């Protein structure tokens, strides 16, 4: 970088470069785009960043991201509060919501158990989940963790801590994704699909 | 740049950027390999259609640069052969398998092939579908230490060299590389007390096979002994040690005796 580049611009490029998936060239392009855009547009971005840092927090009940605590899902009377979908990350809530099929509420674990990476049950929101179940009124816990070894371990752990409670524990189905081809499916996916087949 | 094809087991997986991962694979003929799997988390590429999971067995193709072994290789293709679904249905089995993977990752060198150890790890992952997971893990860890040349000498005292075959109380020292008899024990700082029956069970583990008649007490004590030995050898406890201990009813890891 030439010394003649304004310090503010260099700083903006450096900040963009810290973002995931942004290299030096992309950072440079974004910085110049900001420079060329109107002041309102640029300040809109700046304010959006400030607001997200100032206002977004975890819901005290479900640990999803929210600006109002408890969140809109937890306080929605049309939701079936007796069915809790347990997910790893807040972005999983967005994806499940996009299906339009979930009428229950959520519980975000904020990760998964991964002893190899030093992530233990105490690092997640499992105690809060158990407390919700202990309070009563929960009929079903739908475990929607990822179908990876860590996600499955987390699911097994949840099942064990809820074993003493009168609550049904279910797991999202697995198998062939729509639009895929059997030719390219792995053995594990086919095993899941065969084991999880249902009447047609 | 050469393309290598080998059979492999996934030991570690670390996220790298949004859709890529760095993998530590234990390959049959090329030892442990670290490689980057670009875009693997998207799961849309036919070269690894569903991502790559921990402790999966598959056929890997990767590019490596001869003479530049310290540079990450690049994964070009992965075909899953087996994902050992029983590990996903039982936590103690899952953690036993992860303990084996962590020990293998720490105790084998990159680019140092151990085909027999690879076969033993493959057997362990398959055999963990039934029986006592600690018994199978004991046999694997014993094979691991044998294969890498760090198996402790348990037939004689490392200090006075006398046979300890009939002793009831024996000590194990990682720094001494094997057993220490009761007479020599006071002079050795780093050690762990055990029973002769435990050592005899351990030394009878010549292969990773399921033994339905494995004595539960000896199996547990042998695991504690191996965990102690590996901790001292690696220089730190394995991350899976305490989770596995708590699931299998073992007490927390005792601190090594030092004076």
């Amino acid at each position: 970088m030439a010394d003649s580049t304004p310090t503010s611009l260099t700083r903006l490029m450096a900040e963009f470069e810290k973002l995931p998936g942004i290299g030096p060239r992309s950072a440079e392009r974004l910085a110049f785009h900001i420079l060329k855009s109107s002041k309102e547009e640029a300040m809109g971005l700046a304010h959006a960043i400030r607001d997200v840092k100032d206002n977004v927090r975890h819901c005290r009940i479900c640990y999803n991201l929210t600006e109002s605590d408890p969140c809109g899902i937890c306080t929605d009377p049309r939701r079936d509060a007796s069915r809790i979908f347990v997910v790893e990350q807040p972005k999983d809530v967005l994806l499940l919501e996009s299906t339009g099929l979930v009428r229950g509420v959520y519980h975000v674990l904020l990760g998964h158990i991964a002893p190899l990476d030093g992530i233990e049950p105490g690092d997640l929101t499992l105690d809060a989940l158990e407390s919700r179940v202990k309070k009563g009124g929960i009929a079903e816990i739908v475990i929607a963790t990822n179908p990876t070894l860590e996600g499955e371990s987390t699911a097994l752990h949840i099942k064990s801590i809820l074993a003493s409670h009168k609550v049904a524990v279910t797991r999202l189905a697995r198998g062939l994704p729509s639009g895929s081809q059997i030719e390219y499916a792995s053995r594990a996916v086919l095993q899941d699909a065969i084991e999880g087949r249902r009447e047609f | 740049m050469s393309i290598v094809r080998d059979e492999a087991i996934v030991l570690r997986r670390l996220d790298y950027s949004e859709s890529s991962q760095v993998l530590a694979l234990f390959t049959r003929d090329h030892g442990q390999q670290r490689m980057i799997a670009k875009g693997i988390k998207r799961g849309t590429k036919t070269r690894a259609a569903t991502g790559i999971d921990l402790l999966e067995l598959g056929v890997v193709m990767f590019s490596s640069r001869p003479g530049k072994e310290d540079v990450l290789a690049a994964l070009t293709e992965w075909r899953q052969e087996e994902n050992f679904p029983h590990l996903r249905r039982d936590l103690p089995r899952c953690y036993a398998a992860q303990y084996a993977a962590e020990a293998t990752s720490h105790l084998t060198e990159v680019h140092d092939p151990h085909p027999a150890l690879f076969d033993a790890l493959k057997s362990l992952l398959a055999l963990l579908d039934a029986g006592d997971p600690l018994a199978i893990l004991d046999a694997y860890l014993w094979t691991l230490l044998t294969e890498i040349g760090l198996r402790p000498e348990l037939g004689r005292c490392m200090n006075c060299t006398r046979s300890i075959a009939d002793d009831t109380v024996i000590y194990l020292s990682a720094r001494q590389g094997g057993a220490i008899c009761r007479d020599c024990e006071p002079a050795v700082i780093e050690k762990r007390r055990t029973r002769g029956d435990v050592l005899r069970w351990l030394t009878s583990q010549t292969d990773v096979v399921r033994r339905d008649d494995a004595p539960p007490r000896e199996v547990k004590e042998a695991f504690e002994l191996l965990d102690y030995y590996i901790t001292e050898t690696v220089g730190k406890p394995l991350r899976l040690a305490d989770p596995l201990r708590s699931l299998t009813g073992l007490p927390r890891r005792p601190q090594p005796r030092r004076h």
Side-chain angles (χ1 to χ4, degrees):
Chain A
M1 185 60 62
D3 290 337
S4 60
T5 309
T7 314
S8 310
L9 189 59
T10 309
R11 201 176 127 220
L12 185 60
M13 287 181 206
E15 291 300 324
F16 276 131
E17 214 177 317
K18 289 177 190 170
L19 299 175
I22 304 289
R25 295 294 297 275
S26 298
E28 191 181 297
R29 204 162 50 240
L30 288 169
F32 276 99
H33 174 79
I34 295 288
L35 201 61
K36 275 199 294 184
S37 57
S38 67
K39 189 166 182 177
E40 289 74 31
E41 210 176 331
M43 292 316 290
L45 175 65
H47 290 151
I49 293 171
R50 186 196 60 201
D51 289 349
V52 86
K53 293 306 290 179
D54 283 348
N55 303 332
V56 178
R57 69 201 77 153
H58 291 293
C59 169
R60 81 175 88 119
I61 297 172
C62 71
Y63 290 86
N64 191 15
L65 294 173
T66 180
E67 284 192 32
S68 58
D69 189 12
C71 70
I73 294 176
C74 288
T75 53
D76 186 347
R78 293 166 300 175
R79 293 270 178 172
D80 177 5
S82 71
R83 182 171 290 128
I84 300 178
F85 283 74
V86 181
V87 298
E88 291 184 16
Q89 301 293 348
K91 61 187 175 188
D92 299 335
V93 173
L94 288 177
L95 290 166
L96 286 174
E97 280 295 286
S98 71
T99 65
L101 294 172
V102 177
R103 301 311 307 154
V105 292
Y106 294 93
H107 189 88
V108 184
L109 296 171
L110 302 177
H112 54 224
I113 301 169
L116 275 174
D117 299 326
I119 305 169
E120 296 180 5
D123 299 321
L124 310 182
T125 63
L126 290 165
D127 289 345
L129 175 64
E130 195 178 5
S131 298
R132 289 178 77 177
V133 174
K134 269 183 188 168
K135 277 182 190 167
I138 308 296
E140 182 183 4
I141 296 289
V142 184
I143 303 176
T145 53
N146 289 323
T148 59
L149 195 76
E150 295 96 335
E152 300 289 4
S153 307
T154 308
L156 287 171
H157 191 85
I158 292 169
K159 192 179 167 189
S160 71
I161 60 174
L162 297 180
S164 58
H165 303 281
K166 282 187 178 174
V167 60
V169 180
T170 59
R171 184 92 172 92
L172 286 189
R174 293 178 302 187
L176 289 165
S178 296
S180 67
Q181 294 178 44
I182 289 176
E183 182 185 356
Y184 294 111
S186 69
R187 186 189 292 185
V189 169
L190 287 172
Q191 280 171 344
D192 285 339
I194 293 164
E195 284 174 9
R197 71 190 187 281
R198 60 183 180 184
E199 203 170 333
F200 181 59
Chain B
M1 183 92 67
S2 61
I3 300 288
V4 179
R5 183 181 189 276
D6 205 346
E7 207 178 356
I9 292 166
V10 184
L11 299 180
R12 280 299 297 276
R13 241 176 7 149
L14 295 169
D15 285 347
Y16 180 82
S17 79
E18 277 182 271
S19 59
S20 303
Q21 287 183 325
V22 172
L23 305 172
L25 301 183
F26 189 47
T27 66
R28 191 176 195 282
D29 298 322
H30 298 82
Q32 203 181 137
Q33 293 284 333
R34 310 275 165 90
M35 62 190 69
I36 186 156
K38 289 185 179 171
I40 199 73
K41 284 162 73 181
R42 286 194 205 107
T44 53
K45 297 185 176 182
T46 53
R47 64 185 180 188
T50 53
I52 301 176
D53 204 0
L54 202 60
L55 298 175
E56 232 176 57
L57 170 75
V59 175
V60 65
M61 287 183 76
F62 61 94
S63 62
S64 69
R65 292 180 186 173
K68 288 200 170 182
E69 277 76 21
D70 53 333
V71 177
L72 279 181
L75 180 132
T76 58
E77 194 173 325
W78 173 264
R79 193 183 74 231
Q80 185 198 69
E81 294 286 304
E82 181 61 69
N83 78 336
F84 307 104
H86 47 271
L87 301 179
R88 295 150 188 271
R89 296 183 195 124
D90 185 89
L91 266 185
R93 292 176 199 288
C94 179
Y95 282 8
Q98 288 188 57
Y99 186 102
E102 191 181 7
T104 308
S105 171
H106 279 299
L107 292 170
T108 61
E109 298 287 333
V110 176
H111 300 287
D112 183 17
H114 290 280
L117 184 61
F118 177 86
D119 293 341
L121 183 58
K122 199 167 136 180
S123 297
L124 167 101
L125 296 175
L127 290 171
L128 278 170
D129 67 337
D132 183 347
L134 279 189
I136 302 163
L137 182 59
D138 283 352
Y140 174 73
L141 295 176
W142 189 246
T143 305
L144 168 64
L145 293 172
T146 304
E147 275 293 320
I148 61 170
L150 288 177
R151 185 181 70 185
E153 168 60 56
L154 301 181
R156 61 187 173 84
C157 172
M158 297 303 288
N159 199 39
C160 66
T161 70
R162 85 165 169 82
S163 170
I164 54 164
D166 299 323
D167 288 15
T168 52
V169 174
I170 301 167
Y171 291 80
L172 179 72
S173 170
R175 284 187 205 163
Q176 302 291 322
I180 301 291
C181 68
R182 284 184 94 166
D183 297 335
C184 298
E185 170 265 319
V188 177
I189 295 170
E190 176 271 310
K191 67 205 165 190
R192 183 183 165 89
R193 185 186 156 116
T194 189
R195 296 183 298 121
D197 287 346
V198 176
L199 298 193
R200 283 183 277 282
W201 150 256
L202 205 49
T203 48
S204 71
Q205 304 306 299
T206 52
D207 211 353
V208 181
V209 291
R210 186 182 301 129
R211 287 182 173 80
D212 294 330
D213 59 345
R217 189 177 168 202
E218 276 72 24
V219 164
K220 282 190 174 182
E221 287 183 35
F223 171 71
E224 290 193 283
L225 201 63
L226 288 163
D227 182 45
Y228 166 81
Y229 191 80
I230 289 169
T231 300
E232 290 293 326
T233 304
V234 172
K236 60 179 181 181
L238 300 194
R239 281 178 162 167
L240 260 299
D242 277 337
L244 182 57
R245 280 170 169 277
S246 70
L247 284 175
T248 50
L250 287 168
R252 287 186 72 82
R253 189 183 328 102
Q255 294 298 310
R257 279 177 63 185
R258 291 206 167 90
H259 301 285

